[in-house]
Amino acid sequence: MKTKGILLTFCLAALCACGGPSSVRTVDVAAAAPADLEEVAAGWELLPLDESETPLGSVSMVKRYGDKTFVGCRRDHRFFMYEGTTLAGVLSAYGRGPGEYMDMEDFAFREATSELLVNDRSLPGFRIYKVPEMTWVRDEKHDFQVGSFETVDATHSLFSLEPDEEDVAVGGQVQVWDHQAGTPSDQWETSFVEALTMTEQSMSREPGGAMLFGLTGPKTRIMRVGAKGFEQVAEVALVPDAFGPAVWEEKDFETLVEAWSAVMEKGQNVAVGAFAPQVNGEKVAFWYNTGYSSRFPFRLAVSSPEGGKAYSEVRVEGYPEPLQIVGTGEGQWCTVLQPGLLEDVPSPKGQLYPRLRELAAQGVETVLLFWSAV
């Protein structure tokens, strides 16, 4: 089944809640309001990137592991590795030959072995490269497709199998994959929609090594994979529910896709998904998707025992566009900023604007903003 185009319409964002699986919270997306980043952020930091020798292309995905930050540019098929702010390696292996990739869906760094895994859908499987040399080591081919994934440790990764359309009534699986054995070491049964949407959603790495991901439904669940295996840590209902039984309970693939697309094209009060959740105690933050007619489709929501709030946009003072998530660090989101786009703010109120102005004066073209909301 050719699902990539459909999956892009399922490319979702996030949810929230806490207090255990039986405690379902709601977030009213119809009441979403704008906010300044410095009002909602629990912490932030700027990482200016050195482009003096090799300019970046259009940044589409970022992942940070310790002092190493990997920047993926799908448009020109390259990966850049930074150590701190310094460029330390470039992987440019687009092609059809040995060690080259054609369709770079996602990537992850295996810290224990200093290897970069690139999910090449044309394989299907993983191209593996040595870091920092960025040289091809080997291919790992599979008889199934995955989308977004993340490394767990030296020999395991986490991903959802991409289900076939005949699996609508059966469901799917999220797996902890043992690369050495070539089999899953742990797995979690899901619905069809949960499995399908997860293939296009980024996960979040927590300090300490555990990972968070979301399963999308009428009540979206936040899951953690750690020392205890799979555990549900939060559940949220995004209201109003734009889909209802026409999507959540549909067992025919074509009917489900038609119902989903009809809603996603409207762009009004559409809120669905589980993109890069963050959890801190009983507070949860997440991104949700507003439909594929939106220019800036991802919006932020935060939930705590005191209540939940959705944000129509989050802005940095003086920056002309609202923030959109392009990647993650440990317990952090990443947004790309271009200091050259800053507008004039004679009397800035926050701390970010003056710092970005300094970087612009130094000739810095690209800055990664890492931040959290919990």
Side-chain angles (χ1 to χ4, degrees), residues 319 337-343 356-357 359-361 364-367:
Y319 202 73
L337 299 176
Q338 297 173 287
L341 297 180
L342 284 173
E343 299 169 344
L356 288 170
R357 270 297 190 205
L359 294 173
V364 175
E365 297 182 14
T366 305
V367 175

Side-chain angles (χ1 to χ4, degrees), residues 155-279:
T155 57
H156 295 83
S157 292
L158 176 69
F159 51 71
S160 173
L161 296 183
E162 184 175 304
D164 292 324
E165 57 185 85
E166 58 265 25
D167 294 334
V168 173
V170 178
Q173 291 181 346
V174 180
Q175 296 186 347
V176 176
W177 185 259
D178 186 328
H179 290 270
Q180 290 185 335
T183 58
S185 61
D186 199 0
Q187 59 190 33
W188 186 272
E189 301 298 322
T190 72
S191 72
F192 178 84
V193 172
E194 287 175 333
L196 189 60
T197 54
M198 187 183 164
T199 62
E200 289 289 343
Q201 305 173 161
S202 293
M203 298 161 237
S204 300
R205 287 173 290 107
E206 295 185 293
M211 280 184 288
L212 297 168
F213 65 91
L215 295 176
T216 301
K219 295 181 179 66
T220 306
R221 296 178 288 165
I222 297 294
M223 305 291 297
R224 176 182 284 122
V225 176
K228 298 180 181 179
F230 287 91
E231 61 175 324
Q232 181 175 321
V233 296
E235 191 172 30
V236 64
L238 298 173
V239 296
D241 178 5
F243 298 93
V247 167
W248 308 129
E249 299 177 13
E250 181 56 54
K251 302 303 180 183
D252 177 77
F253 176 77
E254 296 297 335
T255 304
L256 185 155
V257 171
E258 288 177 5
W260 179 283
S261 299
V263 172
M264 294 293 280
E265 289 170 355
K266 293 179 181 178
Q268 290 186 329
N269 290 334
V270 177
V272 64
F275 196 96
Q278 295 179 354
V279 176

